[in-house]
Amino acid sequence: MLALALLWSSSVKAAVDENFYIFLCFGQSNMEGAARPEVQDLKSPGERFLLMPAVDFPATADRAERKMGQWCEAIPPLCRPNNGLTPADWFGRTLVASLPKHIKVGVIHVAIGGIRIEGFMPSEIAEYVKTAPGWMKGMLEAYGNNPYERLVTLARKAQQDGVIKGVLMHQGESNTGEKDWAEKVQKVYDRLLGDLKLKPEEVPLLAGEVVQAGGKGKCISMNKQIQALPQTIHTAQVVSSDNCTSGADDLHFDAAGYRELGCRYGELMARLLGYEPVRPHIDMPKKFEVPADAVVAETTIPGNEFPKVDKEGRAYFSLQAPQARKVVVDICNKKYDMTRDDKGNWTAVTDPLPVGFHYYFMNIGGVNFIDPATETFFGCNRQAGGIEIPEGEEGNYYRPQPGVPQGQVRSIYYPSTHGAQSSNSQLPNSKITWRHAMVYTPADYEQGKKKYPVLYLQHGMGEDETGWSRQGHMQHIMDNAIHEGRAVPMIVVMESGDIKAPFRGGDNRAGRSQYGASFYPVLLNDLIPFIDKNFRTKADREYRAMAGLSWGGHQTFDVVLQNLDKFAWLATFSGAIFGLDPKTAYNGVFQDAEAFNKQIHYLYMNWGEHDFIKSADLVKQLRDMGIKVDANESAGTAHEWLTWRRGLNEFIPHVFKKQ
C-alpha cells in the first residue's frame, strides 16, 4: 500500500492524466459510512481505484499509514479512520468494472455524521461551528472546522493529476422537510464548480435517496425533496434507494445496502460517461431456508427457535449480532461461515452430521464463544455448546422410556486429603480439599436397605464428572437396562479425575503418564471409602468395577491393573492406552493368563469404526496371551459419545454377574 501511495503521490510532478477520473464525495452519516465493512468490502480493488484521504490515517494491523492529500488504494474506511462502508466504495468498484482498463478512478471523501447542508456553505460555516453539538465538534475539527474548504483544497491538488468528472452527495436527513434545502444544495454545488473552474455539463451532481426501510425510514419524507432536486439543478441526477437494505435504526444503510446504493451511483455515472454499466461481483448471502421437517434440537434451551435439525441431520443455527463483521460456526472441527441479513441476524446450515452428540462453538473475531441458544456442556477443556443429532428408535436405550422407573443422579462433595492442595475448595489452614462427584443410584435405592455393587465410571480428557450423565445419558442407559433385566441394579460414581485441564505434554504411555495420575490416590483412599460409608454398597472387590472412555480408559487400566485387590470388573471405551507392552506392563499382570482371568471376571473394550483410537491390536495381543477379552467395534461412529454410550450399554449386562 505504501508503495502505491508513493506511486500516486501528488507530490510527484507529472502531466495531468486525462484518463484519471476524479469524483468529489460529500454529505452526512450515510456518505460518511455507518456500516462495518465485511470481508468482500476489504478486498483491494487494485490500482485503478484510488483515494485521496481528507485526513491522516494512522497505521493499523490491517492498513498502512495514509497521509492527507496522497493517493492510496481505496479500501474502507474512506472517510476517516473510524468510519465504515460508504456508497463511494462500490461506486468506484462499479466504475472500474464498467470503464476501459486504461481509465483510473479516484475519490476525495469529506463527510460528517449529522451535518446540515449549511455545514458545507462557506458563508454559514463559521456560525455553524459555534452552534454545532458537542458530539460533532471533533469531526469538524478533523477538517479544520471547514469541511468545504478541505474538499476544495484537495480537489485543486487532485486536478494536477486527473480530471474531475462528477460530484457525489448523500445528505438531507438533517434538513428533512426544509423547503429551501434544494436552493442551499445549489449554492454549494455552484460554489464548488466556480472555485474549481468546472463546467456543470461536464461535472454532474449525483444525489442519493435516504433510507426507505419498507416505508418506515426515519427520514423517508426527504426523498420527495431529493427526487425534485433536478428541478433546481438541471445537471443533478437522483440515485434511488428503493429496496436498499438498512440497519435496525431505519436511518442508516447496512453493508448490503451500501453496496447496492454504491453500485447504483456507479451505474448511473457510467451511463453519463457513455459506457454500458457492468456491475462488479458481489457475494450475495444464500437464502436461509429451513425445511418443514426440521425440529428444534433437544439440546436447545427451551423457548428458542434455533438450533434446529432436519431429517437429513443438517443443523440450522441463528445468532443476532448486528455489529459483527464475520461469524463462524465451528462444529466437529468443520467451520461454516454464517450469513447476515439486513437486521443483523446471522444464520448458517451445516452439511449432514453423524447421529449423536457434537460439541460446537461460534466465533467472532477469532474468539470462540457459546451459542446463547444452546445448553452448555463441559468438553474441550471448557464449557461448550452442544447439539444432538437424533438417532432413530435404535437410540431408545439411552432415552427415558414410558413406564421405566428412574434412578437419581446426585451431586456430592467429599473431603480429600490425598489430592493436590491447590483447589479453590480447600479449607483455610487445612489439608482437606473438597472435591465434587456425581453419583447415580438406581430406582429402587430409596425403597429398602439393600446394598449395591459400584461402578466407577470415568470420562475423557477435557471433560468432567457431569459428562456421562449429560452428554452420555448414562442414567437412562442404566434405568432401561435394569428395568429390562439386562443389568443388575448398581451405583455409578463419576469424578473429574483431574483431567479437565488440557494435556500439556510428557509421557502418555499407560502406567507411566502423570496426566490424571493425581486422581489415583484420591480414588483409592478418599472417594471409595466415602462412597462405601455414605451409600449402601457392597464394599468388596467382587462388587466393584471401573470403566472409562478415552483417557478415562487409560486411567482405568492404570488403577485396576495395579489394584486387583479392589476391582474385579474392567472396561474401556475408545481407551487411550498407548505404548503398552502386554508382556511386561503393570509388573507382568497379563503373564499369568489363568490367574488374571480368575481375578478380572469380565474385561470389555470397544471403539468406533472411524475412531482415531482403536484397541483392536491390543485385544489381539491379549487374546494371544490367553486373556479373556470381550470387544466390539461401534459401526459408523468415531471418537464420540455415541461410541461410548454403546460401549456402556454393552458392558453393564455382564457386570456383577457370574461369567
Side-chain angles (χ1 to χ4, degrees):
M1 292 185 184
L2 181 58
L4 190 60
L6 294 174
L7 177 65
W8 292 105
S9 173
S10 57
S11 62
V12 178
K13 299 297 182 182
V16 173
D17 184 354
E18 297 293 332
N19 292 315
F20 185 15
Y21 292 180
I22 298 166
F23 300 88
L24 310 182
C25 309
F26 77 96
Q28 56 185 104
S29 57
N30 273 312
M31 181 59 79
E32 183 184 57
R36 289 178 179 269
E38 297 174 356
V39 174
Q40 61 181 315
D41 306 311
L42 297 171
K43 295 177 182 177
S44 173
E47 298 181 0
R48 289 183 59 209
F49 181 29
L50 306 175
L51 166 73
M52 178 179 281
V55 298
D56 289 337
F57 285 65
T60 68
D62 303 321
R63 184 185 64 237
E65 181 184 26
R66 296 175 179 176
K67 287 294 185 181
M68 180 177 66
Q70 295 183 1
W71 293 109
C72 63
E73 289 176 286
I75 299 174
L78 303 183
C79 191
R80 294 189 306 281
N82 295 319
N83 295 137
L85 193 66
T86 85
D89 284 288
W90 286 84
F91 162 80
R93 285 166 167 76
T94 302
L95 280 187
V96 166
S98 303
L99 273 53
K101 292 184 178 180
H102 66 277
I103 296 177
K104 299 185 298 290
V105 176
V107 294
I108 300 172
H109 201 282
V110 175
I112 295 176
I115 196 168
R116 295 167 57 82
I117 192 62
E118 289 84 351
F120 290 97
M121 299 175 67
S123 61
E124 304 288 336
I125 188 61
E127 187 62 28
Y128 191 86
V129 169
K130 291 179 183 179
T131 59
W135 53 264
M136 189 185 291
K137 290 187 180 298
M139 294 184 279
L140 287 165
E141 290 173 359
Y143 299 117
N145 285 322
N146 196 329
Y148 174 85
E149 184 60 33
R150 179 65 56 86
L151 183 63
V152 169
T153 298
L154 294 178
R156 286 172 175 154
K157 188 173 186 179
Q159 284 179 308
Q160 300 173 27
D161 302 317
V163 181
I164 295 175
K165 289 288 187 175
V167 178
L168 278 60
M169 180 186 77
H170 198 284
Q171 198 280 332
E173 292 95 336
S174 295
N175 295 87
T176 299
E178 297 180 8
K179 295 181 179 180
D180 59 348
W181 174 78
E183 287 74 17
K184 292 178 180 178
V185 173
Q186 182 178 28
K187 289 181 180 179
V188 175
Y189 176 63
D190 289 347
R191 177 68 182 265
L192 197 58
L193 297 181
D195 287 344
L196 297 174
K197 298 180 173 55
L198 300 171
K199 298 178 181 179
E201 291 76 13
E202 297 176 354
V203 186
L205 172 69
L206 275 60
E209 292 180 344
V210 300
V211 165
Q212 297 188 34
K216 298 179 181 180
K218 293 287 180 63
C219 300
I220 192 171
S221 62
M222 187 63 190
N223 282 339
K224 290 184 178 180
Q225 293 173 265
I226 295 172
Q227 292 160 6
L229 190 61
Q231 298 175 17
T232 302
I233 303 173
H234 74 281
T235 58
Q237 300 279 340
V238 176
V239 180
S240 171
S241 66
D242 187 36
N243 293 323
C244 290
T245 55
S246 58
D249 62 1
D250 293 332
L251 182 63
H252 298 98
F253 299 99
D254 61 11
Y258 282 121
R259 290 185 204 109
E260 179 62 31
L261 188 64
C263 287
R264 293 178 185 182
Y265 269 99
E267 289 168 338
L268 177 55
M269 181 56 71
R271 293 190 185 94
L272 294 175
L273 292 171
Y275 297 97
E276 185 65 26
V278 176
R279 181 167 288 218
H281 173 74
I282 296 177
D283 294 330
M284 300 301 292
K286 297 179 181 178
K287 187 176 181 182
F288 187 66
E289 295 182 349
V290 182
D293 63 58
V295 297
V296 176
E298 65 180 74
T299 41
T300 300
I301 295 173
N304 290 284
E305 185 179 358
F306 293 93
K308 286 184 173 181
V309 180
D310 68 18
K311 66 179 181 180
E312 301 297 329
R314 296 180 182 87
Y316 298 79
F317 299 95
S318 178
L319 177 73
Q320 185 69 24
Q323 299 303 313
R325 291 170 58 176
K326 182 177 182 180
V327 184
V328 173
V329 175
D330 186 344
I331 182 167
C332 306
N333 294 317
K334 184 171 182 179
K335 295 177 173 60
Y336 297 88
D337 289 335
M338 302 188 78
T339 57
R340 183 186 187 279
D341 66 15
D342 60 336
K343 300 302 180 183
N345 187 57
W346 296 79
T347 52
V349 58
T350 69
D351 298 326
L353 299 170
V355 294
F357 178 87
H358 305 282
Y359 297 112
Y360 77 94
F361 295 95
M362 289 181 169
N363 185 293
I364 294 178
V367 178
N368 282 342
F369 63 96
I370 301 171
D371 180 356
T374 190
E375 299 283 1
T376 57
F377 306 84
F378 195 90
C380 310
N381 307 110
R382 56 168 288 184
Q383 291 293 339
I387 188 168
E388 184 82 23
I389 307 300
E391 281 193 288
E393 292 185 359
E394 68 274 16
N396 284 345
Y397 71 91
Y398 59 79
R399 299 181 181 121
Q401 298 298 316
V404 174
Q406 296 186 8
Q408 298 181 15
V409 179
R410 310 169 185 224
S411 172
I412 68 163
Y413 287 86
Y414 68 97
S416 170
T417 58
H418 293 84
Q421 299 298 310
S422 60
S423 171
N424 291 333
S425 58
Q426 184 179 346
L427 293 172
N429 303 315
S430 171
K431 294 183 179 180
I432 295 176
T433 297
W434 287 92
R435 296 178 63 108
H436 184 240
M438 308 298 291
V439 179
Y440 165 84
T441 54
D444 63 357
Y445 183 83
E446 307 298 329
Q447 299 171 4
K449 297 182 179 180
K450 183 173 68 173
K451 293 186 177 182
Y452 297 82
V454 184
L455 166 63
Y456 289 85
L457 184 62
Q458 291 304 116
H459 58 85
M461 182 187 298
E463 293 163 332
D464 74 356
E465 63 272 21
T466 66
W468 267 111
S469 56
R470 299 210 64 218
Q471 294 97 290
H473 302 316
M474 171 278 310
Q475 65 275 37
H476 305 315
I477 296 174
M478 298 300 305
D479 290 340
N480 293 329
I482 292 170
H483 179 71
E484 294 165 6
R486 293 190 298 109
V488 302
M490 67 186 78
I491 294 171
V492 183
V493 180
M494 297 151 282
E495 223 266 19
S496 74
D498 296 344
I499 56 173
K500 293 170 67 173
F503 179 76
R504 303 190 187 281
D507 201 331
N508 72 348
R509 289 175 293 175
R512 303 189 183 190
S513 173
Q514 291 303 303
Y515 180 66
S518 57
F519 172 59
Y520 304 163
V522 174
L523 171 66
L524 297 170
N525 301 304
D526 297 318
L527 181 56
I528 290 177
F530 180 88
I531 295 297
D532 287 342
K533 180 180 179 180
N534 291 276
F535 292 84
R536 298 194 311 276
T537 69
K538 295 181 178 181
D540 182 88
R541 72 174 299 276
E542 294 293 316
Y543 300 99
R544 192 178 295 128
M546 188 171 180
L549 70 89
S550 194
W551 200 269
H554 178 118
Q555 292 182 305
T556 298
F557 256 48
D558 280 2
V559 170
V560 174
L561 297 178
Q562 297 182 90
N563 297 277
L564 291 176
D565 60 324
K566 294 182 172 61
F567 299 89
W569 315 83
L570 167 63
T572 66
F573 318 124
S574 302
I577 303 166
F578 307 120
L580 186 74
D581 181 356
K583 296 178 181 179
T584 60
Y586 304 111
N587 297 316
V589 71
F590 297 117
Q591 286 283 21
D592 188 340
E594 183 178 357
F596 182 87
N597 291 336
K598 288 181 180 179
Q599 290 176 297
I600 294 297
H601 302 320
Y602 186 70
L603 169 56
Y604 172 84
M605 305 177 79
N606 98 317
W607 57 90
E609 179 183 359
H610 306 297
D611 213 319
F612 67 88
I613 298 179
K614 296 189 177 186
S615 302
D617 289 344
L618 179 56
V619 168
K620 183 179 184 304
Q621 293 177 62
L622 292 173
R623 286 174 174 170
D624 289 345
M625 295 176 67
I627 303 297
K628 294 180 180 179
V629 186
D630 198 1
N632 187 43
E633 182 174 88
S634 173
T637 63
H639 201 73
E640 57 182 284
W641 277 103
L642 190 51
T643 298
W644 309 325
R645 293 172 188 169
R646 290 176 177 176
L648 179 63
N649 190 50
E650 291 162 1
F651 172 58
I652 56 176
H654 303 276
V655 185
F656 310 127
K657 295 180 179 179
K658 292 183 179 181
Q659 301 301 304

